[in-house]
């Protein structure tokens, strides 16, 4: 199913609204579109599982407040691992045909708990440690927004959309592949997801959404909000000629505009068409692809998911770009954990990439060039 199909078919919190992340979780685990009643039941189950022991917060508090939000988030996830049902079952001698069952238990509990850990990190760093408890009447995305401190209906809708479109990914990217790789050693979902988060924290992966907003703000700082197309083109060339990349453009797999960018653009056109930073993002959509095409080295000059998300979050008051990758991490728990459950159900083997010598590589390249 495409993203527009998910937006149309998955249950929403309100008529014509954005899809609920719980609906996507159901779809990833069963291959079927759930009813609203099924999604409501899953929402309740996740709320029932969302209890985080005090030692998790103490582990985070042991870090300096200046530690990167992703470092604090991954530390909290590692501390949650103490409660792993898979580890306990494995130590007792569970049959391998049943591995998926405690993996399922761990995965649902992990998905339920990460918004609490993530919002604790946000409130600790940026809001003097004033924690906001979960609201038992809210769905997954709205509750995450609420615990961060944002209760406007539009921000809750944005968070539902954000978590849904950032959840799953083809298995070859760093965080998705890391989750598979570590879990293939029969590491439990907490260990596997924490490893995936450490990959997500890299500037060439999840940290890119932070980099985009900082770069856009640098454009505004130097050129002002009412920048012309020609000025913007000059700034893009200046960035490229300084040996840097334009963050938010290009993709390792896609060869067209990222559909996750498109649905965020549609959200912005609906809710914040006059926002200056959104208008700047729209201008970048016009300016950057032709410049990158002219450069001649870029296979995909089109914007990716990271080119847009920061501007939307910034508009609704979540202005701390350094935190953005944690939002990505919370979302990615749904996709990675769904895949881990299926890994165990299908009995997928230990991953072990083939090792080759330099001589083998040289001969391989020589043969390829001859052909």
């Amino acid at each position: 199913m495409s993203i527009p199909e998910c937006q149309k078919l998955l249950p929403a919190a309100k008529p014509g609204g954005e899809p609920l992340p719980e609906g996507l979780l159901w779809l990833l685990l069963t291959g079927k579109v759930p009813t609203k009643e099924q999604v409501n039941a899953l929402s309740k189950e996740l709320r029932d599982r969302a209890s985080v022991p005090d030692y998790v917060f103490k582990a985070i508090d042991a870090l300096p407040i200046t530690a990167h939000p992703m470092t604090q988030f991954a530390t909290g996830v590692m501390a949650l691992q103490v409660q792993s049902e898979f580890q306990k079952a494995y130590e007792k001698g569970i049959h391998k045909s049943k591995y998926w069952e405690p993996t399922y238990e761990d995965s649902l509990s992990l998905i339920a708990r990460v918004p609490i850990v993530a919002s604790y990190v946000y409130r600790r760093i940026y809001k003097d440690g004033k924690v906001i408890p979960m609201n038992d009447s809210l769905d997954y995305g709205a509750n995450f927004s609420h615990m961060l401190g944002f209760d406007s209906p539009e921000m809750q809708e944005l968070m539902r959309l954000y978590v849904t479109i950032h959840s799953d990914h083809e298995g070859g990217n760093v965080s998705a592949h890391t989750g598979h790789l570590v879990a293939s050693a029969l590491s439990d979902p907490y260990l596997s997801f924490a490893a995936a988060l450490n990959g997500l924290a890299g500037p060439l992966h999840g940290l890119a959404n932070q980099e985009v907003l900082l770069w856009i703000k640098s454009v505004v700082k130097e050129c002002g909000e009412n920048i012309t197309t020609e000025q913007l083109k000059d700034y893009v060339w200046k960035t490229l000629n300084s040996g840097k990349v334009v963050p938010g453009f290009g993709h390792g797999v896609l060869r067209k505009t990222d559909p996750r960018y498109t649905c965020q653009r549609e959200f912005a056109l609906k809710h914040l068409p006059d926002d200056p930073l959104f208008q700047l993002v729209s201008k970048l959509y016009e300016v950057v692809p032709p410049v990158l095409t002219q450069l001649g080295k870029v296979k995909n000059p089109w914007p990716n998911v990271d080119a847009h998300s920061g501007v939307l979050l910034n508009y609704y008051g979540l202005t701390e770009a350094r935190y953005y990758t944690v939002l990505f991490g919370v979302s990615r728990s749904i996709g990675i954990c769904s895949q881990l459950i299926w890994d165990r159900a299908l009995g997928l083997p230990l991953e072990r990439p083939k090792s080759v010598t330099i001589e083998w590589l040289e001969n391989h390249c020589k043969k390829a060039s001859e052909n």
Side-chain angles (χ1 to χ4, degrees):
M1 285 171 60
S2 66
I3 285 177
E5 286 170 335
C6 287
Q7 287 179 286
K8 183 181 177 182
L9 296 174
L10 291 177
K14 60 181 184 180
E18 300 299 340
L20 291 160
E22 299 94 317
L24 182 68
L25 174 58
W26 188 289
L27 177 66
L28 291 173
L29 288 177
T30 68
K32 297 176 182 176
V33 174
T35 64
K36 185 66 163 66
E37 290 72 27
Q38 287 170 325
V39 167
N40 289 344
L42 182 52
S43 282
K44 183 180 183 307
E45 176 162 1
L46 291 173
R47 285 195 300 271
D48 290 344
R49 289 174 178 264
S51 58
V52 175
D54 284 343
Y55 57 76
V56 173
F57 305 122
K58 288 177 181 175
I60 295 169
D61 290 342
L63 294 167
I65 205 162
T66 53
H68 194 281
M70 281 296 282
T71 304
Q72 299 190 40
F73 183 41
T75 298
V77 172
M78 284 298 297
L80 281 173
Q81 190 273 341
V82 174
Q83 294 194 324
S84 171
E85 294 297 326
F86 181 86
Q87 185 187 39
K88 292 172 191 170
Y90 189 83
E91 288 174 354
K92 288 178 183 175
I94 186 173
H95 191 277
K96 62 183 179 182
S97 65
K98 301 284 188 181
Y99 283 168
W100 73 271
E101 294 179 7
T103 300
Y104 173 87
E105 293 299 326
D106 276 355
S107 294
L108 256 62
S109 295
L110 171 59
I111 291 166
R113 291 164 180 163
V114 288
I116 295 174
V117 176
S119 57
Y120 182 84
V121 169
Y122 179 76
R123 302 296 299 183
R124 177 180 187 246
I125 298 172
Y126 303 111
K127 303 296 177 183
D128 299 321
K130 294 172 183 173
V131 176
I132 299 171
M134 175 179 281
N135 182 331
D136 278 339
S137 66
L138 294 176
D139 58 84
Y140 190 85
N143 235 325
F144 187 26
S145 179
H146 165 72
M147 290 187 290
L148 289 168
F150 302 95
D151 283 317
S152 77
E154 281 187 16
M155 179 58 163
Q156 291 181 353
E157 274 288 272
L158 174 60
M159 198 58 70
R160 291 173 186 126
L161 175 66
Y162 183 100
V163 173
T164 298
I165 65 173
H166 286 79
S167 292
D168 201 34
H169 208 294
E170 42 81 26
N173 79 16
V174 172
S175 58
H177 180 235
T178 301
H180 276 296
L181 175 65
V182 176
S184 79
L186 295 187
S187 296
D188 62 63
Y190 295 98
L191 296 173
S192 304
F193 180 62
L197 286 179
N198 290 329
L200 192 68
L204 295 182
H205 192 15
L207 203 69
N209 55 12
Q210 167 186 314
E211 302 294 301
V212 170
L213 187 65
L214 295 177
W215 185 80
I216 288 174
K217 286 188 172 179
S218 75
V219 176
V220 172
K221 187 177 180 181
E222 187 163 322
C223 308
E225 284 185 345
N226 298 315
I227 187 171
T228 66
T229 302
E230 282 305 310
Q231 283 177 307
L232 190 55
K233 193 180 291 183
D234 290 342
Y235 194 89
V236 169
W237 275 115
K238 178 183 171 184
T239 299
L240 293 169
N241 290 333
S242 68
K244 299 175 183 175
V245 299
V246 178
F249 284 78
H251 193 274
V253 176
L254 294 173
R255 295 294 175 260
K256 61 180 182 179
T257 299
D258 191 330
R260 298 169 299 175
Y261 173 95
T262 305
C263 70
Q264 289 181 99
R265 175 173 170 77
E266 289 168 355
F267 186 96
L269 287 168
K270 182 178 177 181
H271 296 290
L272 49 134
D274 301 323
D275 177 56
L277 288 185
F278 167 59
Q279 292 180 348
L280 179 52
V281 166
S282 296
K283 278 184 184 172
L284 286 168
Y285 195 11
E286 297 173 28
V287 168
V288 176
V291 170
L292 293 179
T293 302
Q294 191 179 336
L295 201 61
K297 300 175 184 176
V298 180
K299 292 180 180 176
N300 171 26
W302 304 107
N304 60 46
V305 64
D306 298 312
H308 217 306
S309 54
V311 167
L312 296 176
L313 295 164
N314 185 79
Y315 178 80
Y316 289 111
L318 211 169
T319 57
E320 299 87 357
R322 204 162 173 254
Y323 181 79
Y324 287 174
T325 313
V326 176
L327 301 174
F328 201 157
V330 170
S331 310
R332 190 45 65 88
S333 69
I334 290 176
I336 287 175
C337 287
S338 298
Q339 293 185 31
L340 297 191
I341 293 166
W342 277 105
D343 285 355
R344 296 286 73 82
L346 296 170
L348 296 189
L350 177 71
E351 274 196 38
R352 193 180 183 96
K354 184 179 179 181
S355 298
V356 297
T357 63
I358 292 292
E359 184 183 14
W360 185 94
L361 286 171
E362 288 172 347
N363 289 334
H364 181 76
C365 293
K366 189 177 179 182
K367 287 177 185 174
S369 64
E370 288 170 356
N371 295 334

